[in-house]
Amino acid sequence: MSDTVQKMPFGYEPPVDELKGTIVYYDSFEHTTERELDLAAYITKERSFRKLVLYPLHEQSLKRMTKEEVSPFYKREDRLHEWKRDRGEENVIVERLEIKRKKYTPIDSALRHLAETYPKPLFLLLTGEMANLFASYSSFEEWIVKIRLLLTEEPDRLHPRLLEYKHRWESVIQK
Protein backbone atom coordinates (compact mmCIF):
# COMPACT_ATOMS: atom_id res chain seq x y z
CA MET A 1 0.00 0.00 0.00
CA SER A 2 1.07 3.51 -0.69
CA ASP A 3 1.62 5.88 2.22
CA THR A 4 0.86 8.88 0.04
CA VAL A 5 -2.23 10.74 1.15
CA GLN A 6 -4.31 12.11 -1.67
CA LYS A 7 -6.02 15.41 -1.01
CA MET A 8 -8.91 17.00 -2.76
CA PRO A 9 -8.95 20.74 -3.22
CA PHE A 10 -11.39 22.64 -1.00
CA GLY A 11 -14.83 22.80 -2.56
CA TYR A 12 -14.20 19.94 -4.99
CA GLU A 13 -17.34 18.25 -6.16
CA PRO A 14 -17.22 15.19 -8.39
CA PRO A 15 -18.49 15.82 -11.91
CA VAL A 16 -22.19 15.29 -12.33
CA ASP A 17 -23.11 12.49 -14.71
CA GLU A 18 -25.05 14.17 -17.50
CA LEU A 19 -26.63 10.93 -18.73
CA LYS A 20 -29.92 9.81 -17.27
CA GLY A 21 -32.29 6.90 -17.48
CA THR A 22 -33.42 4.57 -20.21
CA ILE A 23 -35.63 4.71 -23.28
CA VAL A 24 -37.33 1.39 -24.03
CA TYR A 25 -38.63 0.91 -27.57
CA TYR A 26 -41.46 -1.60 -26.96
CA ASP A 27 -42.71 -2.96 -30.27
CA SER A 28 -43.05 -5.98 -32.53
CA PHE A 29 -40.41 -4.51 -34.91
CA GLU A 30 -42.22 -6.28 -37.73
CA HIS A 31 -42.83 -3.09 -39.73
CA THR A 32 -40.29 -0.82 -38.04
CA THR A 33 -37.97 0.85 -40.53
CA GLU A 34 -34.29 1.65 -40.07
CA ARG A 35 -35.28 5.31 -40.13
CA GLU A 36 -37.51 4.76 -37.07
CA LEU A 37 -34.68 2.94 -35.28
CA ASP A 38 -32.34 5.82 -36.20
CA LEU A 39 -34.89 8.24 -34.75
CA ALA A 40 -34.96 6.26 -31.48
CA ALA A 41 -31.14 6.37 -31.30
CA TYR A 42 -31.18 10.10 -32.09
CA ILE A 43 -33.72 10.81 -29.32
CA THR A 44 -31.59 8.80 -26.89
CA LYS A 45 -28.54 10.95 -27.67
CA GLU A 46 -30.39 14.25 -27.97
CA ARG A 47 -32.08 13.86 -24.59
CA SER A 48 -28.95 12.48 -22.91
CA PHE A 49 -30.27 9.06 -22.01
CA ARG A 50 -27.88 6.40 -20.81
CA LYS A 51 -29.40 3.48 -22.76
CA LEU A 52 -31.77 2.61 -25.57
CA VAL A 53 -33.38 -0.78 -25.03
CA LEU A 54 -35.07 -2.41 -28.00
CA TYR A 55 -37.75 -4.73 -26.65
CA PRO A 56 -39.09 -7.01 -29.41
CA LEU A 57 -42.29 -8.81 -28.50
CA HIS A 58 -42.66 -12.58 -28.78
CA GLU A 59 -45.15 -13.97 -31.30
CA GLN A 60 -47.37 -15.23 -28.48
CA SER A 61 -47.49 -11.78 -26.87
CA LEU A 62 -48.44 -10.18 -30.18
CA LYS A 63 -51.03 -12.83 -30.88
CA ARG A 64 -52.79 -12.03 -27.61
CA MET A 65 -52.39 -8.28 -27.90
CA THR A 66 -53.14 -7.58 -31.56
CA LYS A 67 -54.06 -10.85 -33.33
CA GLU A 68 -51.40 -9.84 -35.89
CA GLU A 69 -49.32 -12.52 -37.59
CA VAL A 70 -45.61 -11.71 -37.41
CA SER A 71 -42.37 -13.29 -38.49
CA PRO A 72 -40.49 -15.44 -35.96
CA PHE A 73 -38.82 -13.68 -33.06
CA TYR A 74 -35.29 -14.64 -34.10
CA LYS A 75 -35.68 -13.00 -37.53
CA ARG A 76 -36.88 -9.71 -36.04
CA GLU A 77 -34.16 -9.89 -33.39
CA ASP A 78 -31.46 -10.56 -36.01
CA ARG A 79 -32.58 -7.49 -37.92
CA LEU A 80 -32.21 -5.38 -34.76
CA HIS A 81 -28.72 -6.76 -34.08
CA GLU A 82 -27.75 -6.07 -37.69
CA TRP A 83 -28.98 -2.47 -37.41
CA LYS A 84 -27.04 -2.06 -34.14
CA ARG A 85 -23.83 -3.42 -35.74
CA ASP A 86 -24.24 -1.24 -38.85
CA ARG A 87 -24.64 1.91 -36.76
CA GLY A 88 -21.96 1.03 -34.21
CA GLU A 89 -24.35 1.88 -31.39
CA GLU A 90 -22.81 0.97 -28.04
CA ASN A 91 -25.57 2.23 -25.76
CA VAL A 92 -28.24 0.09 -27.49
CA ILE A 93 -29.39 -3.18 -25.93
CA VAL A 94 -31.69 -5.74 -27.54
CA GLU A 95 -33.69 -7.14 -24.61
CA ARG A 96 -34.13 -10.93 -24.61
CA LEU A 97 -36.69 -11.47 -21.83
CA GLU A 98 -39.43 -12.57 -24.24
CA ILE A 99 -37.29 -15.21 -25.93
CA LYS A 100 -36.18 -16.58 -22.55
CA ARG A 101 -39.81 -16.98 -21.51
CA LYS A 102 -40.88 -18.37 -24.93
CA LYS A 103 -44.48 -17.42 -24.29
CA TYR A 104 -46.86 -14.53 -23.74
CA THR A 105 -45.38 -11.89 -21.45
CA PRO A 106 -47.87 -9.39 -20.02
CA ILE A 107 -46.76 -5.78 -20.29
CA ASP A 108 -46.81 -5.56 -16.47
CA SER A 109 -44.17 -8.28 -16.21
CA ALA A 110 -42.09 -6.68 -18.94
CA LEU A 111 -42.23 -3.25 -17.28
CA ARG A 112 -41.39 -4.70 -13.87
CA HIS A 113 -38.35 -6.44 -15.37
CA LEU A 114 -37.25 -3.28 -17.20
CA ALA A 115 -37.69 -1.09 -14.11
CA GLU A 116 -35.57 -3.49 -12.03
CA THR A 117 -32.86 -3.96 -14.67
CA TYR A 118 -32.18 -0.56 -16.24
CA PRO A 119 -31.38 2.90 -14.86
CA LYS A 120 -34.31 5.17 -14.08
CA PRO A 121 -36.17 7.24 -15.17
CA LEU A 122 -37.81 4.87 -17.59
CA PHE A 123 -39.34 6.20 -20.82
CA LEU A 124 -41.38 3.91 -23.05
CA LEU A 125 -41.20 4.63 -26.80
CA LEU A 126 -44.36 3.35 -28.48
CA THR A 127 -46.27 3.67 -31.72
CA GLY A 128 -49.64 5.40 -31.43
CA GLU A 129 -51.43 2.08 -31.88
CA MET A 130 -49.35 0.40 -29.15
CA ALA A 131 -49.93 3.37 -26.81
CA ASN A 132 -53.71 3.05 -27.25
CA LEU A 133 -53.42 -0.66 -26.58
CA PHE A 134 -51.33 -0.07 -23.43
CA ALA A 135 -53.85 2.52 -22.21
CA SER A 136 -56.63 -0.04 -22.55
CA TYR A 137 -55.06 -2.34 -19.92
CA SER A 138 -56.21 -2.11 -16.31
CA SER A 139 -52.62 -1.68 -15.06
CA PHE A 140 -52.06 1.44 -17.20
CA GLU A 141 -52.90 3.86 -14.38
CA GLU A 142 -50.50 2.07 -12.03
CA TRP A 143 -47.63 2.33 -14.53
CA ILE A 144 -48.20 5.75 -16.07
CA VAL A 145 -47.24 7.44 -12.79
CA LYS A 146 -43.93 5.52 -12.73
CA ILE A 147 -42.89 5.93 -16.37
CA ARG A 148 -43.27 8.45 -19.19
CA LEU A 149 -44.37 7.69 -22.72
CA LEU A 150 -42.87 8.91 -25.96
CA LEU A 151 -45.04 8.23 -28.99
CA THR A 152 -43.55 7.87 -32.45
CA GLU A 153 -46.77 9.44 -33.76
CA GLU A 154 -49.94 10.65 -32.13
CA PRO A 155 -52.85 8.38 -33.04
CA ASP A 156 -55.90 9.87 -34.75
CA ARG A 157 -58.15 8.57 -31.99
CA LEU A 158 -56.70 8.70 -28.49
CA HIS A 159 -57.78 6.27 -25.78
CA PRO A 160 -59.61 8.16 -22.97
CA ARG A 161 -56.87 7.25 -20.46
CA LEU A 162 -54.22 8.75 -22.74
CA LEU A 163 -56.28 11.94 -22.79
CA GLU A 164 -56.57 11.84 -19.00
CA TYR A 165 -52.79 11.46 -18.58
CA LYS A 166 -51.76 13.78 -21.43
CA HIS A 167 -49.14 15.37 -19.13
CA ARG A 168 -47.29 12.00 -18.89
CA TRP A 169 -46.62 11.52 -22.62
CA GLU A 170 -45.53 13.39 -25.70
CA SER A 171 -45.31 12.77 -29.41
CA VAL A 172 -41.74 12.89 -30.74
CA ILE A 173 -42.89 13.51 -34.33
CA GLN A 174 -45.30 16.39 -34.72
CA LYS A 175 -47.92 16.20 -37.46
Side-chain angles (χ1 to χ4, degrees), residues 4 17 22 36 53 69 95 133 136 154 158 168 170:
T4 309
D17 190 1
T22 307
E36 291 168 320
V53 176
E69 290 294 322
E95 178 58 54
L133 194 60
S136 71
E154 190 171 324
L158 286 170
R168 299 292 300 167
E170 67 180 280

Side-chain angles (χ1 to χ4, degrees), residues 72-116:
F73 182 90
Y74 75 91
K75 287 184 179 180
R76 293 178 286 127
E77 183 187 38
D78 287 348
R79 209 180 99 222
L80 295 176
H81 283 295
E82 184 180 320
W83 172 83
K84 180 182 169 185
R85 262 191 315 277
D86 290 348
R87 300 301 187 278
E89 297 287 346
E90 294 181 13
N91 65 337
V92 175
I93 296 169
V94 179
E95 178 58 54
R96 301 207 45 157
L97 176 68
E98 296 253 343
I99 199 63
K100 289 177 190 171
R101 288 177 48 85
K102 296 182 179 150
K103 59 182 180 179
Y104 167 65
T105 305
I107 194 167
D108 299 346
S109 300
L111 290 174
R112 219 175 358 268
H113 167 74
L114 294 165
E116 292 169 359

